Amino acid sequence: QVQLVESGGGLVQPGGFLQLSCIVSGNIERRYILGWFRQAPGKQRELVADISNSGITSYMDSVKDRFTIARNTHPNTVSVHMTDLKPEYTSVYYCNYRASTNYWGQGTRVTVSS
Protein backbone atom coordinates (compact mmCIF):
# COMPACT_ATOMS: atom_id res chain seq x y z
CA GLN A 1 0.00 0.00 0.00
CA VAL A 2 1.00 3.60 -0.62
CA GLN A 3 -0.31 6.58 1.30
CA LEU A 4 -0.46 10.12 -0.07
CA VAL A 5 -1.25 13.16 2.04
CA GLU A 6 -1.71 16.52 0.34
CA SER A 7 -1.47 19.99 1.79
CA GLY A 8 -1.32 23.57 0.62
CA GLY A 9 -4.69 24.28 -0.95
CA GLY A 10 -6.71 27.39 -0.24
CA LEU A 11 -8.08 30.61 -1.60
CA VAL A 12 -5.89 32.76 -3.79
CA GLN A 13 -6.54 35.80 -5.94
CA PRO A 14 -6.20 35.68 -9.74
CA GLY A 15 -2.58 36.17 -10.71
CA GLY A 16 -1.41 34.82 -7.37
CA PHE A 17 0.62 31.77 -6.52
CA LEU A 18 0.25 28.65 -4.42
CA GLN A 19 2.30 25.55 -3.68
CA LEU A 20 0.79 22.13 -3.13
CA SER A 21 2.76 19.39 -1.42
CA CYS A 22 2.20 15.66 -1.06
CA ILE A 23 3.96 13.28 1.29
CA VAL A 24 4.25 9.78 -0.17
CA SER A 25 4.86 6.80 2.09
CA GLY A 26 4.50 3.05 2.11
CA ASN A 27 5.66 0.39 -0.34
CA ILE A 28 7.12 2.61 -3.05
CA GLU A 29 8.41 0.73 -6.07
CA ARG A 30 11.70 1.43 -7.76
CA ARG A 31 10.03 2.85 -10.87
CA TYR A 32 7.05 5.14 -10.41
CA ILE A 33 5.43 8.34 -11.54
CA LEU A 34 4.10 10.97 -9.16
CA GLY A 35 1.55 13.40 -10.46
CA TRP A 36 -0.97 16.11 -9.73
CA PHE A 37 -4.45 15.88 -11.20
CA ARG A 38 -7.36 18.25 -10.81
CA GLN A 39 -11.10 17.86 -11.04
CA ALA A 40 -13.50 20.78 -11.31
CA PRO A 41 -17.22 20.35 -10.55
CA GLY A 42 -18.97 18.49 -13.35
CA LYS A 43 -15.74 17.77 -15.19
CA GLN A 44 -13.45 14.80 -15.57
CA ARG A 45 -10.26 14.50 -13.59
CA GLU A 46 -7.31 15.66 -15.67
CA LEU A 47 -3.56 15.42 -15.40
CA VAL A 48 -1.86 18.72 -14.54
CA ALA A 49 1.76 17.61 -14.24
CA ASP A 50 3.78 14.54 -13.39
CA ILE A 51 7.35 13.52 -12.66
CA SER A 52 9.00 10.12 -12.88
CA ASN A 53 11.41 8.58 -10.40
CA SER A 54 14.19 9.60 -12.82
CA GLY A 55 13.04 13.20 -12.88
CA ILE A 56 11.31 13.36 -16.25
CA THR A 57 8.45 15.85 -16.14
CA SER A 58 5.38 16.50 -18.24
CA TYR A 59 2.76 19.25 -18.04
CA MET A 60 -0.70 20.05 -19.30
CA ASP A 61 -0.25 22.56 -22.16
CA SER A 62 -2.13 25.38 -20.41
CA VAL A 63 0.11 25.32 -17.33
CA LYS A 64 3.53 24.68 -18.87
CA ASP A 65 4.83 28.19 -18.23
CA ARG A 66 3.04 28.61 -14.91
CA PHE A 67 3.48 25.41 -12.90
CA THR A 68 6.61 23.60 -11.76
CA ILE A 69 6.53 20.08 -10.39
CA ALA A 70 9.33 18.75 -8.21
CA ARG A 71 10.05 15.77 -6.03
CA ASN A 72 12.26 15.05 -3.08
CA THR A 73 13.33 11.88 -1.36
CA HIS A 74 13.79 11.21 2.34
CA PRO A 75 10.95 11.82 2.88
CA ASN A 76 9.31 11.20 -0.47
CA THR A 77 7.38 14.26 -1.47
CA VAL A 78 6.04 15.74 -4.66
CA SER A 79 5.10 19.38 -4.94
CA VAL A 80 3.72 21.68 -7.57
CA HIS A 81 4.41 25.40 -7.50
CA MET A 82 1.62 27.24 -9.29
CA THR A 83 1.94 30.84 -10.46
CA ASP A 84 -0.27 33.31 -12.32
CA LEU A 85 -3.33 31.42 -11.22
CA LYS A 86 -6.59 31.85 -13.12
CA PRO A 87 -10.19 31.43 -11.92
CA GLU A 88 -10.58 28.45 -14.26
CA TYR A 89 -7.91 26.63 -12.27
CA THR A 90 -10.33 26.35 -9.37
CA SER A 91 -10.55 22.63 -8.66
CA VAL A 92 -9.82 19.91 -6.20
CA TYR A 93 -6.21 18.87 -6.79
CA TYR A 94 -5.20 15.26 -6.21
CA CYS A 95 -1.79 13.74 -5.70
CA ASN A 96 -1.29 10.46 -7.57
CA TYR A 97 1.17 7.58 -7.45
CA ARG A 98 1.44 5.29 -10.47
CA ALA A 99 3.51 2.13 -10.67
CA SER A 100 2.20 -1.41 -10.82
CA THR A 101 -0.56 0.00 -8.64
CA ASN A 102 -2.34 3.32 -8.59
CA TYR A 103 -3.06 5.38 -5.47
CA TRP A 104 -4.68 8.76 -4.82
CA GLY A 105 -4.56 11.32 -2.09
CA GLN A 106 -7.70 12.71 -0.53
CA GLY A 107 -7.54 15.93 -2.54
CA THR A 108 -6.98 19.56 -1.61
CA ARG A 109 -9.21 22.36 -2.79
CA VAL A 110 -7.80 25.33 -4.67
CA THR A 111 -10.05 28.31 -5.24
CA VAL A 112 -8.90 31.17 -7.45
CA SER A 113 -11.17 34.13 -6.91
CA SER A 114 -11.09 37.81 -6.12
Side-chain angles (χ1 to χ4, degrees):
Q1 287 236 349
V2 175
Q3 296 79 41
L4 303 104
V5 179
E6 301 114 330
S7 61
L11 173 66
V12 61
Q13 293 188 340
F17 64 91
L18 205 60
Q19 178 158 308
L20 307 180
S21 296
C22 176
I23 299 175
V24 186
S25 61
N27 296 324
I28 299 170
E29 297 181 42
R30 189 168 61 89
R31 294 181 180 180
Y32 58 85
I33 298 173
L34 295 173
W36 286 95
F37 287 70
R38 67 186 182 193
Q39 187 167 19
K43 295 189 176 180
Q44 287 190 331
R45 192 171 296 189
E46 57 185 0
L47 175 65
V48 175
D50 62 21
I51 184 167
S52 71
N53 58 284
S54 60
I56 298 172
T57 60
S58 66
Y59 294 90
M60 169 189 287
D61 283 346
S62 63
V63 306
K64 273 182 181 177
D65 297 325
R66 294 185 172 88
F67 291 11
T68 303
I69 191 169
R71 67 175 180 85
N72 285 304
T73 55
H74 308 298
N76 284 301
T77 60
V78 59
S79 61
V80 60
H81 186 69
M82 308 184 292
T83 65
D84 192 20
L85 288 164
K86 299 180 176 183
E88 53 263 41
Y89 294 168
T90 294
S91 290
V92 177
Y93 284 71
Y94 295 91
C95 181
N96 173 258
Y97 165 91
R98 285 173 281 156
S100 64
T101 53
N102 190 23
Y103 290 93
W104 295 93
Q106 79 284 359
T108 184
R109 185 173 300 277
V110 173
T111 303
V112 185
S113 175
S114 55

